[in-house]
Amino acid sequence: MHFLSEDLEDYVAAHSQDEPALLAQLNKETYQKILLPRMLSGHFQGRVLSMLSKLIRPTSILEIGTYTGYATLCLCEGMQENAIVHTIDIKEELVDFQRKYFDKSPWGNQIVQHLGEAVDIIPTLDTEFDLVFIDADKENYLNYYELIVPKMSKGGIILSDNVLWSGKVVEPLKEGDLSTKILLEYNQRLNNDPRVESVLLPIRDGLTVSRVL
């Protein structure tokens, strides 16, 4: 996942805005108590998500893959006063952990948690989204994308995480590696889909920004 040297990564983080105290606390507790803490967006990517949200000023956000809620709170930082965030995850054991931090933030009553499969939940959301963040199981990225695009506002932004997949996208595809296979198809789809314009940023494990036309 690390494409820059450790020294350069440290320099980048040191010259980006500090993470808020609540997010630093969430980060620390995730590493102390939750499995696979590297799934956390973390300081630098979190500041990128915050900045993009502040530029977009969304009134409605959809997040696919909540984990412990770090990215959720980063996206909240730029939303308009009465905006709503819908965030979806399949892990029931994380719901209370997420809610604890959501309620410590200024946006607790604006964050709606959904527990279950995103492919089942997204069609039930009668909302037009300004900003979507996809950071869940890679095998379903294409399915999520096709469900989301019709629900996007004109000029809305879709953010897709992990699109470089630890560099596997430029390595020979291994037999049975479905995640990499789907991501290769997904990256190609975003680049060729006339409904969006996209740029793939080499941030952390790859973040594609797609603007709906």
Side-chain angles (χ1 to χ4, degrees), residues 19-91:
E19 63 184 345
L22 180 62
L23 289 180
Q25 183 184 346
L26 194 166
N27 193 331
K28 181 177 180 181
E29 189 171 359
T30 297
Y31 272 85
Q32 289 173 335
K33 298 180 179 179
I34 307 298
L35 291 174
L36 303 174
R38 77 187 195 105
M39 290 173 59
L40 193 87
S41 288
H43 169 206
F44 174 61
Q45 187 179 18
R47 292 305 86 205
V48 172
L49 296 176
S50 170
M51 181 65 75
L52 289 171
S53 183
K54 288 169 182 172
L55 292 169
I56 297 162
R57 298 289 292 145
T59 60
S60 54
I61 299 174
L62 172 63
E63 179 185 41
I64 304 171
T66 316
Y67 189 49
T68 56
Y70 189 101
T72 321
L73 294 176
C74 293
L75 295 169
C76 285
E77 292 179 28
M79 67 185 184
Q80 296 189 37
E81 184 177 351
N82 296 316
I84 296 294
V85 179
H86 292 272
T87 185
I88 304 171
D89 206 281
I90 61 170
K91 290 185 168 58

Side-chain angles (χ1 to χ4, degrees), residues 173-191:
L173 182 63
K174 295 180 180 178
E175 185 176 354
D177 186 355
L178 182 58
S179 293
T180 303
K181 180 177 182 292
I182 294 295
L183 279 173
L184 288 167
E185 294 177 19
Y186 183 74
N187 291 339
Q188 192 70 23
R189 174 79 58 83
L190 292 186
N191 200 40

Side-chain angles (χ1 to χ4, degrees), residues 134-149:
I134 306 175
D135 186 19
D137 57 311
K138 311 312 160 193
E139 292 87 345
N140 269 308
Y141 265 38
L142 286 164
N143 295 326
Y144 297 148
Y145 178 73
E146 291 302 333
L147 288 170
I148 287 165
V149 171

Side-chain angles (χ1 to χ4, degrees), residues 144-162:
Y144 297 148
Y145 178 73
E146 291 302 333
L147 288 170
I148 287 165
V149 171
K151 292 180 174 288
M152 295 297 298
S153 59
K154 184 177 176 60
I157 300 295
I158 301 171
L159 304 174
S160 307
D161 200 17
N162 304 116

